[in-house]
């Protein structure tokens, strides 16, 4: 396997620590197969669940809303095939979130666009 295709995952045994993932090349040098994202929005809970639904890892998954000040519990993360992540969104001033304008994408996945 070429270095442009390698993903290394480090985890700890015996104590609680986050998993760390490393690539052996800079993002522009990676050879990433196209990933597919499944996106589920729960407006009542103000959460978005993103799943790498295809056979490829999704690199740097990014959620975007065209509203300043939105707080994301997580953003710019990687997902292995079949892995999911739920992100909570909120605005500190309690403003309603423009869910119809939500965009979710990754370096190697086409952007998912909210309801239009």
């Amino acid at each position: 396997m070429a270095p442009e295709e390698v993903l290394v995952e480090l985890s700890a045994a015996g104590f609680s620590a986050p998993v760390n993932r490393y690539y052996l090349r800079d993002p522009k040098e990676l050879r990433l197969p196209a990933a597919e994202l499944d996106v589920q929005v729960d407006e009542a809970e103000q959460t978005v669940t993103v799943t790498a639904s295809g056979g490829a890892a999704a690199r740097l998954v990014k959620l975007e809303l065209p509203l300043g000040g939105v707080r994301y519990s997580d953003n710019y993360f990687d997902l292995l095939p079949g892995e999911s992540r739920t992100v909570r969104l909120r605005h500190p001033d309690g403003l309603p979130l423009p869910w119809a304008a939500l965009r979710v994408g990754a370096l190697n996945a086409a952007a998912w666009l909210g309801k239009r």
Side-chain angles (χ1 to χ4, degrees):
M1 185 173 282
E4 299 82 22
E5 300 169 335
V6 175
L7 165 64
V8 177
E9 184 173 273
L10 300 175
S11 59
F15 63 95
S16 179
V19 171
N20 290 290
R21 294 179 178 148
Y22 299 95
Y23 293 84
L24 301 182
R25 294 288 186 253
D26 290 332
K28 66 182 181 181
E29 297 172 337
L30 294 175
R31 280 190 278 184
L32 300 169
E36 294 177 28
L37 299 176
D38 178 50
V39 179
Q40 301 296 319
V41 176
D42 186 333
E43 293 182 29
E45 292 295 320
Q46 294 195 324
T47 61
V48 177
T49 301
V50 184
T51 304
S53 57
R59 176 76 171 126
L60 292 176
V61 175
K62 174 175 75 166
L63 288 78
E64 297 178 280
L65 281 173
L67 176 64
V70 174
R71 305 282 195 250
Y72 302 83
S73 64
D74 202 351
N75 215 348
Y76 296 95
F77 50 87
D78 296 343
L79 293 173
L80 296 179
E83 188 176 29
S84 295
R85 174 96 37 109
T86 298
V87 179
R88 181 171 299 283
L89 290 76
R90 68 175 184 83
H91 194 280
D93 297 329
L95 296 177
L97 299 176
W99 294 106
L102 176 67
R103 293 176 51 96
V104 181
L107 281 182
N108 60 327
W112 178 91
L113 305 173
K115 302 176 267 182
R116 297 284 179 216

